[in-house]
């Protein structure tokens, strides 16, 4: 318990430029107090002392303004900064090294029992006021913009903003756009919505075509080295992106 406290203090000193020293962090950071009380409450919950666990969690909320259900599973070095108004639901899981700002809700959208709150993998940052609602996963290293409302999974390393949250371009998007541009085809003209089945299908097709293109280039380079590159005539017809565009427009 106290080893965890020491590493919690160290991680706050590391992540909050306003934190001056360990004593200040120990005495003036409600996020730290909430985590300490949550660990006690969670232990009581595991020992099936449910009322006592809820009562402990209630005191945590009373003292810090941060409500963490005793059933929630929080990893190590989680930093709840400022923290007022944070609500973390019963079946939520928060991975190691996550940072959560004030006003964040890790909530559910269903009244049924079972897993109904989100899972944050390690190193996720959730901006002030963001709501993450539902039993999906926010991938490792993802960043959720302040006041975003996230209602579906966010890939690892991505940044999601807005209501409902949309994923800003990540590395795979940039690669895909570069491949698509080489083929004279604008992937983003079709919309980036993670919901749109047409956009998803076309993104997969572009990825597949680009992957095959790269493989063919590698094969041709190898044949070149062997002095056995086939003549231009035997290449057949390549991918005609313009035709695809025309078909879609029509
Ligand atoms: C989401 C976030 C991590 C993005 O940071 P970033 O990668 O540096 O992104 P940028 O600032 O370059 O913005 C990228 C785009 O997202 C938009 N954007 C950024 N944050 C946004 C937000 N919270 N809501 C809606 N749109 C947002 C920007 O306007 C920009 O749009 P554009 O490309 O159309 O111009 C950051 O803006 C954020 O919200 N961090 C949380 C900080 C916080 O809560 N601090 C509390 C301290 S008490």
């Amino acid at each position: 318990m106290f080893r965890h406290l020491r590493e919690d203090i160290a991680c706050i000193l590391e992540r909050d430029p306003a934190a001056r020293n360990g004593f200040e962090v120990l005495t003036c950071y409600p996020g730290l107090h909430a985590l300490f009380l949550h660990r006690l409450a969670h232990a009581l919950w595991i020992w099936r002392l449910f009322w006592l666990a809820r009562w402990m969690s209630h005191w945590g909320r009373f003292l810090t303004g941060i409500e963490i259900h005793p059933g929630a599973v929080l990893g190590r070095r989680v930093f709840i900064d400022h923290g007022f108004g944070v609500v973390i639901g019963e079946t939520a899981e928060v991975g190691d090294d996550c940072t959560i700002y004030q006003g964040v809700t890790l909530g559910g959208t269903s009244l049924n029992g079972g897993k109904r709150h989100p899972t944050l993998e390690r190193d996720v940052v959730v901006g002030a006021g963001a709501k993450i609602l539902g039993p999906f996963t926010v991938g490792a290293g993802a960043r959720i913009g302040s006041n975003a409302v996230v209602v579906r999974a966010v890939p690892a390393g991505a940044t999601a903003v807005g209501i409902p949250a949309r994923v800003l371009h990540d590395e795979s998007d940039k690669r895909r756009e570069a491949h698509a541009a080489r083929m004279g085809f604008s992937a983003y003209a079709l919309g980036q919505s993670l919901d749109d089945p047409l956009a998803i299908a076309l993104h997969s097709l572009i990825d597949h075509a680009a992957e095959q293109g790269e493989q063919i280039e590698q094969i041709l380079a190898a044949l070149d080295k062997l002095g056995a590159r086939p003549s231009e005539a035997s290449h057949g017809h390549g991918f005609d992106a313009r035709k695809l565009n025309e078909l879609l427009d029509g």
Side-chain angles (χ1 to χ4, degrees), residues 11 35 64 100 151 165 180 239 245:
C11 95
L35 280 186
T64 65
I100 295 173
V151 290
F239 178 84
N245 273 325

Short mmCIF file of all heavy atoms in Angstrom, two decimals, residues 11 35 64 100 151 165 180 239 245:
data_model
loop_
_atom_site.label_atom_id
_atom_site.label_comp_id
_atom_site.label_asym_id
_atom_site.label_seq_id
_atom_site.Cartn_x
_atom_site.Cartn_y
_atom_site.Cartn_z
N CYS A 11 4.88 9.74 -9.58
CA CYS A 11 4.29 9.93 -10.93
C CYS A 11 3.58 11.29 -11.02
O CYS A 11 3.58 11.91 -12.07
CB CYS A 11 3.40 8.75 -11.33
SG CYS A 11 1.67 8.96 -10.99
N LEU A 35 -7.31 7.75 -4.62
CA LEU A 35 -6.73 6.44 -4.98
C LEU A 35 -6.43 5.61 -3.73
O LEU A 35 -6.68 4.40 -3.70
CB LEU A 35 -5.42 6.64 -5.75
CG LEU A 35 -5.53 6.96 -7.23
CD1 LEU A 35 -4.14 6.98 -7.84
CD2 LEU A 35 -6.40 5.94 -7.95
N THR A 64 -13.11 14.04 -1.43
CA THR A 64 -12.31 14.45 -2.60
C THR A 64 -13.16 14.90 -3.80
O THR A 64 -12.62 15.48 -4.74
CB THR A 64 -11.45 13.27 -3.10
OG1 THR A 64 -12.32 12.23 -3.58
CG2 THR A 64 -10.56 12.71 -2.02
N ILE A 100 -6.21 10.99 -15.73
CA ILE A 100 -7.63 11.35 -15.84
C ILE A 100 -7.83 12.73 -15.22
O ILE A 100 -7.40 12.96 -14.09
CB ILE A 100 -8.49 10.29 -15.10
CG1 ILE A 100 -8.36 8.93 -15.80
CG2 ILE A 100 -9.93 10.73 -14.98
CD1 ILE A 100 -9.03 7.79 -15.05
N VAL A 151 -18.28 6.85 -27.47
CA VAL A 151 -19.31 5.80 -27.36
C VAL A 151 -18.89 4.51 -28.06
O VAL A 151 -19.68 3.58 -28.14
CB VAL A 151 -20.68 6.29 -27.90
CG1 VAL A 151 -21.27 7.33 -26.98
CG2 VAL A 151 -20.53 6.85 -29.31
N ALA A 165 -17.38 11.22 -30.22
CA ALA A 165 -15.94 11.36 -30.50
C ALA A 165 -15.56 10.74 -31.83
O ALA A 165 -16.05 9.67 -32.19
CB ALA A 165 -15.14 10.72 -29.38
N ALA A 180 -3.35 5.87 -51.06
CA ALA A 180 -4.50 6.22 -51.88
C ALA A 180 -4.16 7.36 -52.83
O ALA A 180 -4.54 7.34 -53.99
CB ALA A 180 -5.67 6.63 -50.98
N PHE A 239 -4.17 -1.03 -61.22
CA PHE A 239 -5.35 -0.57 -60.50
C PHE A 239 -5.76 0.79 -61.03
O PHE A 239 -4.97 1.74 -61.02
CB PHE A 239 -4.97 -0.49 -59.03
CG PHE A 239 -6.07 0.01 -58.15
CD1 PHE A 239 -7.03 -0.85 -57.67
CD2 PHE A 239 -6.13 1.35 -57.78
CE1 PHE A 239 -8.04 -0.40 -56.83
CE2 PHE A 239 -7.13 1.81 -56.96
CZ PHE A 239 -8.09 0.93 -56.48
N ASN A 245 -13.40 5.81 -58.95
CA ASN A 245 -14.04 7.08 -58.58
C ASN A 245 -15.29 7.31 -59.41
O ASN A 245 -16.33 7.72 -58.89
CB ASN A 245 -13.07 8.25 -58.81
CG ASN A 245 -12.19 8.48 -57.59
OD1 ASN A 245 -12.65 8.29 -56.47
ND2 ASN A 245 -10.95 8.84 -57.82
#
